[in-house]
Amino acid sequence: MIQARHHRSEHRPARSSGHRWTGPLPAGRRPAAIRRAAARRAAIRRTAVHRAAAGRAPARRRARLAAVAPVLPGLPVLSVLPVLPVLVVAVVVLVGVIGGAGVVWLPLLAAGPALAATTNGPRGVLCVGMLAGVLGVAQGLRDEVPGRELAAVLAALLAVTAASGLASALRGRRERVLAAVRSVAEAAQHALLKPVPDSVGPFQVAVRYSAAAAEARIGGDLYALVSTPHGVRLIVGDVRGKGLPAVGTAALVLGVFREAAYDEPDLLAVVGRIERSLARNLGPDDFVTAVVAGYPRPGRLEVINCGHAPPLLISASLDVAPVEPTHPAPPLGLRALSGESPRLQCLPFADGDQLLLYTDGVTEARDHAREFYPLAEGVARHVCEEPARTLTALHDELLTHVGGRLHDDAALLLLRRGTPPNPPPPTATTPEPVTDAA
C-alpha cells in the first residue's frame, strides 16, 4: 500500500497556482517556461505603462504627471520623471570633471536627492543620494580634495538625502489623502449633481459644470432636470458663498426641487416649497438665486426667475435674446425680507428653439485685462443644432478667456426642442377592380 501510494504520488501532475508553476519542470521544458514567465511579466509592465499614460495611473503618479506635463509636453513624462535626479547628478559630475575645480562643484550633488523628493518615493531618494555620494567620493579622490572638506560635503549630502526622504514620504501621504478626498468628492458630485441624459422627452440636453475649487470638483452651483407627469422641469441656481456650506445648501435645494417637481402641478408651488424649506434652514444672510423652468405642454415654456441671471433664448433661426423677468423677484430665502412673490412668465417655445441657463461664474469670468466674458456673443458664434457641441465650444472659449482657471463655480445647461421628423409622403393606392357577383 505504501509503495503504491508513493508510486501514485510520483506520477501525480503538479498543480499550478495563479500564474506560477509549483511543480517540478522537466529539464527540456524549463527554458521555455522561463521565457513564457518573462514574457508575461513584460506584458504586465507594458499594460501598467499604457494605463498610466491613458490617465489610469495611481493618484500619486498622476499628480506628478500633471505638474510636469506642461513643462515637457513632447516627452514621455512617465519614464522621464524618475530619471531626472540621476541626470542632474550626472551633469554635476560631468561639469566637475571638465572644470576640474574639485570641491567647488561637489556641493551641487545635493540637488539630485532634493529633486528626487518631488519625483520619487523615499527609496528612490535614498538610491539617488547613495549614487551622488559614491560619485562625489570618486571625484573628490580624483581631484585630491582635502579629507576634511570632502567629509563636510558628504555630511551635507547625507543630511539633504535624509530630509528629502522624509519630505518624499510626507508628500506621498498627502497625495494619498488627496486621492481619497477626490474620490469622495466625485461620489458626492454624482449624488448631488446627477448626470443629465442627452435627451429628455422632446428635448436635447447638454450640461457643463466647473467648480472653482479644483481639488473639490463640487461647489455652490446647482442644476437638475426631471421629467414629471406635469412636463419637463429644470432648475439652475447659485448658492451664496463657497465650500462645504454652499454644497449643503445646494443639496437642500435640489432635494426639495426633485420632490416638489413631481408633486406640485403648478410651477409656482414648486418654488414656494423651496422657499419655505430655505426659510427654515438658512441663516439670515444666506440665499440662493435660481431660475426654475417648466414645459407643461407643447409650445409653452414657463419661467420663474428668482434674482438670477436672465436665461438666453435662442430661436430656430439662431437669434439670441435674453429672457428678462417681467416682474423681478428676490432670491430664494429672502422673500420674508422683501415681501415680494415670484411670478410666472410664459414664453412661446417652438420646435428648434433653445434655452441656455447659466450661473454668474460664466458672465463674471474676467480675462487679464479685467474684461467680462461676453456670453451672448459667444453663444451667437458657437450655437448649432447640437447642444453638446455648442457647450463644448463655449466652455473651451471661457477657459481661454480666463487663462485656463476659473475663479468661481460655473454651470451651463442648454435645452433644445427637437424638430419632429418629416412624415413620410402618402403612397398612392390603386383601387381594386370591382367584379359583378354572379
Side-chain angles (χ1 to χ4, degrees), residues 68-408:
V68 183
V71 183
L72 302 172
L75 296 177
V77 180
L78 185 64
S79 58
V80 169
L81 274 178
V83 184
L84 282 178
V86 179
L87 294 178
V88 170
V89 173
V91 169
V92 172
V93 172
L94 182 62
V95 171
V97 170
I98 296 175
V103 74
V104 175
W105 299 105
L106 288 180
L108 294 180
L109 291 173
L115 180 60
T118 64
T119 60
N120 294 269
R123 192 178 305 171
V125 174
L126 180 61
C127 292
V128 174
M130 292 177 60
L131 176 64
V134 171
L135 293 179
V137 170
Q139 186 176 358
L141 295 178
R142 172 185 174 275
D143 295 337
E144 298 180 354
V145 177
R148 182 174 298 179
E149 296 180 3
L150 184 58
V153 171
L154 293 180
L157 181 60
L158 178 62
V160 172
T161 302
S164 300
L166 179 60
S168 176
L170 294 177
R171 177 184 53 80
R173 182 176 180 275
R174 286 194 299 267
E175 288 177 353
R176 289 190 293 271
V177 172
L178 178 59
V181 171
R182 283 180 171 175
S183 64
V184 172
E186 289 178 356
Q189 182 182 27
H190 285 295
L192 179 62
L193 302 176
K194 296 182 179 179
V196 175
D198 296 334
S199 61
V200 177
F203 297 105
Q204 298 172 279
V205 189
V207 175
R208 291 293 182 274
Y209 178 77
S210 298
E215 305 301 342
R217 303 188 181 184
I218 53 176
D221 287 2
L222 57 96
Y223 62 85
L225 187 145
V226 293
S227 180
T228 72
H230 316 294
V232 176
R233 290 176 170 177
L234 63 142
I235 182 174
V236 171
D238 187 3
V239 178
R240 176 186 176 274
K242 299 177 183 179
L244 290 179
V247 174
T249 304
L252 175 64
V253 173
L254 291 176
V256 177
F257 169 77
R258 293 187 179 114
E259 185 71 20
Y262 281 92
D263 297 340
E264 304 292 345
D266 188 3
L267 195 62
L268 284 172
V270 176
V271 176
R273 285 182 58 171
I274 299 175
E275 176 68 34
R276 290 191 296 271
S277 178
L278 292 179
R280 291 192 301 267
N281 295 281
L282 288 189
D285 298 330
D286 297 330
F287 58 86
V288 179
T289 65
V291 172
V292 183
Y295 191 77
R297 59 177 182 268
R300 176 185 172 92
L301 181 68
E302 299 177 347
V303 178
I304 301 175
N305 194 327
C306 299
H308 199 74
L312 296 180
L313 182 62
I314 308 165
S315 63
S317 58
L318 304 184
D319 296 328
V320 182
V323 182
E324 299 289 348
T326 54
H327 299 280
L332 297 170
L334 298 181
R335 185 186 301 181
L337 299 178
S338 63
E340 298 180 4
S341 299
R343 298 188 183 183
L344 194 67
Q345 186 175 359
C346 299
L347 305 172
F349 203 68
D351 295 337
D353 289 349
Q354 303 182 53
L355 184 70
L356 176 64
L357 297 96
Y358 55 92
T359 59
D360 58 1
V362 178
T363 54
E364 294 180 1
R366 297 174 182 259
D367 59 6
H368 296 294
R370 309 299 295 172
E371 296 290 335
F372 292 110
Y373 175 67
L375 179 60
E377 299 175 9
V379 171
R381 283 191 298 268
H382 301 293
V383 66
C384 62
E385 295 182 355
E386 298 180 15
R389 199 168 77 181
T390 301
L391 287 195
T392 299
L394 277 177
H395 190 262
D396 293 343
E397 187 177 80
L398 177 64
L399 293 180
T400 303
H401 180 81
V402 300
R405 175 74 181 272
L406 291 172
H407 299 285
D408 193 7

